[in-house]
Amino acid sequence: MVKKLIKYDFASYMRLLIPIQLAVLGIAAINRVVQIFENYDNEIYGIIFGSSVALYVISMIVALVLTVIIAIVRFYQGMYSNEGYLSHTLPVTPTQHIFSKLIVSMLFMLGTLLTIFVSLCIVTLGEMNIELFKSAGFLLAKGFERLRWNLPFYIAELLALMIISFFGGMLMMYFCISVGQLAKKHKILAAVGVYFGIYVLSQIIGTVFAVYISLNPELFETLGEWIEANTEAFFHIVFCIGIVLDVIMTGVYFFFTRLLMTRKLNLT
Amino acid sequence: MNKSIRIIALIACAAILCAALCSCQMLDEAKKTTAYFTDDTMKELTFHGNTYKLVDSPKGVSFLMNDTIYGYHAAAPDVPVLLAGSYGKSLVFQREEKDDPRIVAVISEIVDYYGSGDFSVGSYYSDKMTYYLKESEYESLQKLITDADCDYYFMYTYKYDDDYKAQNILLDDASVTAVKHAMTDGKKVKWSELSSRSEWYGIELFSCDKDKLITDNRNLRIITNSEEFYVYDESASDPKAPLHQALKEDYDAMKKVYNQCEYSIECEDIEGRVTLEEYAER
């Protein structure tokens, strides 16, 4: 059943996102074609090229933002709108619902990132493309030369952090929607309110932490000295703390979202 | 339907092929401004299709590299052209040889000249530069620098308009005689006696060969007021001589004033024709 759920969600995402991703690729192709007539001394060329770059950047941002928005909307529609009546009668647990939505949103986010990567290849098609890859390889080699085996670990930690952050971010949205649906009216507005509440709370915690550090100059200095002496270890620690915090927050959001879906379902 | 898909696919393929084969101005520019060392020994570099060989210059002797063009780089062979600016060293050559430089210099160390407060503009980079000579001119230029005959002087002059501009004025025989006379006798010389002059600011004289190609970096400071000047050879003078002391005191006083106004636009005055006393009174 979970497979069917994923398949259904997949089809729904495809209908919405494939045209956008094709548009990104198309705009990238237009940008590359414009570059064939490259002449920076010509003002008209400058305007056309500038516009095509702006359009391309906007299309990339739109594709990324829409992927997230569609993931949120799909969750809301599937769980708490009319479609929710059907979803919750299926022989699928809330955990499976959440995971199916998360997996599909993750896959489409990867799809969008891949589209952006391909579009960048289109924009720089030709010798520039080769030079960019050469530069990336050179920088990686230089990075490895300097950081030795820390580099692959940094990359692995960063990737893990990004994936967990994505799941955490999505689950936070799911949590906000799940809290928002408890309201009798204006459920979406309530969800937005919850989101801002969480945002403000996290900012307050961050500020309190920063103030605490700055009010303790000795701690600040000791920390600074330690970072200077152990820069490589410091980044490992930062990434690992980030991963642990994100895992905890992801777990908390998952737990409460599941709880609300199990015990406090309030369909319209 | 199939036919239209085929036509669209064909057009797309043609466009991709066209784009792939097209050059890129930014990349072409990067290639044009990048020289590559042929190996890690850095004894040779290729630039604009020509080979340049490292010069073996006697200590203290260097090629004159004033009014150079910047924005060029010399990089190791494995550095991608797009990163030559970040991972390469600065390469400079004379503006007048822009199209086909005979001598290029790699700056081995970037020094913040304006932060140092030093007077000697022209020679400042000389010991931070490594010179490379075009292969076809290598022997003649190498001979020139080995047998350095720097019995002439040029005045390093400059001015600020919108941009910093420098010009080296080679002193003619009469002017060289006047300068040497001034040095020997420790007397002031009237500017009017100097036939090789410029309206630009000049505060230093440099030794050079008759073609103004090389210098042995002996530089004479000019201490001046609106009508006359005298020169001061830091390396040649006997520091105990009263004349030297007198000159040095003047020089130090001038430098003190210069340092006081270092970051002021009025600096231009003291480097020009305003008397030290006049300036000190301001």
Side-chain angles (χ1 to χ4, degrees), chain B residues 43 155 244:
Chain B
K43 285 188 174 168
M155 188 188 289
H244 172 87

Side-chain angles (χ1 to χ4, degrees), chain B residues 55 57 61-66 93-94 96-97 101-104 126 129 131-133 137 140-145 148-154 168 170 206-217:
Chain B
V55 72
S57 56
V61 182
S62 59
F63 285 99
L64 280 165
M65 277 285 163
N66 288 313
F93 49 86
Q94 298 275 47
E96 61 190 33
E97 290 189 352
R102 291 180 298 165
I103 309 155
V104 297
S126 62
M129 281 179 171
Y131 298 90
Y132 291 80
L133 306 176
E137 311 249 1
S140 57
L141 290 171
Q142 176 67 67
K143 190 173 182 315
L144 190 75
I145 202 162
D149 178 17
C150 301
D151 213 23
Y152 290 78
Y153 287 97
F154 71 86
N168 295 334
L170 186 69
F206 285 86
S207 55
C208 65
D209 68 329
K210 64 177 176 6
D211 297 320
K212 228 171 45 166
L213 257 179
I214 55 169
T215 176
D216 57 8
N217 286 305

Side-chain angles (χ1 to χ4, degrees), chain B residues 123-135:
Chain B
S123 64
Y124 200 71
Y125 277 122
S126 62
D127 55 344
K128 318 285 180 201
M129 281 179 171
T130 319
Y131 298 90
Y132 291 80
L133 306 176
K134 198 174 171 185
E135 202 171 28

Side-chain angles (χ1 to χ4, degrees), chain B residues 9 63 92 111 146-147 163 168-169 208 220 246 256 277 279:
Chain B
F63 285 99
V92 293
V111 181
T146 310
D147 311 333
D163 201 5
N168 295 334
I169 309 287
C208 65
L220 309 175
K256 197 175 162 191
E277 292 75 21
Y279 194 87

Side-chain angles (χ1 to χ4, degrees), chain A residues 9-196:
Chain A
D9 264 343
F10 225 86
S12 171
Y13 269 78
M14 292 260 273
R15 271 199 304 276
L16 295 161
L17 280 180
I18 292 293
I20 293 159
Q21 293 181 346
L22 285 176
V24 173
L25 295 176
I27 292 167
I30 290 170
N31 184 282
R32 185 63 190 96
V33 171
V34 168
Q35 285 176 54
I36 294 174
F37 307 99
E38 193 175 35
N39 179 8
Y40 291 110
D41 299 331
N42 189 326
E43 208 171 298
I44 295 168
Y45 172 79
I47 293 167
I48 294 172
F49 178 67
S51 309
S52 71
V53 169
L55 196 65
Y56 173 58
V57 172
I58 290 168
S59 74
M60 281 197 294
I61 295 167
V62 166
L64 281 169
V65 171
L66 270 182
T67 308
V68 175
I69 289 176
I70 289 169
I72 297 164
V73 170
R74 280 299 308 143
F75 180 79
Y76 177 75
Q77 282 179 341
M79 297 294 108
Y80 300 117
S81 71
N82 294 343
E83 208 180 309
Y85 285 101
L86 175 68
S87 302
H88 289 290
T89 51
L90 294 172
V92 178
T93 63
T95 307
Q96 286 173 327
H97 270 306
I98 293 170
F99 272 108
S100 73
K101 301 276 183 221
L102 273 180
I103 287 166
V104 177
S105 64
M106 182 72 196
L107 286 174
F108 270 88
M109 180 50 84
L110 287 177
T112 304
L113 291 176
L114 185 70
T115 305
I116 288 172
F117 176 73
V118 173
S119 74
L120 280 170
C121 290
I122 292 173
V123 166
T124 56
L125 194 69
E127 209 184 345
M128 182 59 126
N129 203 238
I130 298 163
E131 284 300 329
L132 280 174
F133 278 110
K134 264 196 213 170
S135 301
F138 179 83
L139 287 175
L140 261 180
K142 280 275 166 201
F144 188 77
E145 207 174 273
R146 188 161 172 234
L147 300 165
R148 309 302 304 166
W149 289 103
N150 285 307
L151 184 71
F153 282 106
Y154 282 153
I155 294 171
E157 285 159 10
L158 198 64
L159 276 176
L161 186 64
M162 281 163 71
I163 291 168
I164 294 164
S165 293
F166 177 77
F167 282 136
M170 290 315 298
L171 276 165
M172 187 176 84
M173 299 293 181
Y174 294 173
F175 170 73
C176 295
I177 292 167
S178 300
V179 175
Q181 58 93 30
L182 296 174
K184 285 180 183 165
K185 284 180 182 176
H186 308 300
K187 291 170 188 283
I188 296 171
L189 197 65
V192 173
V194 174
Y195 174 81
F196 276 104

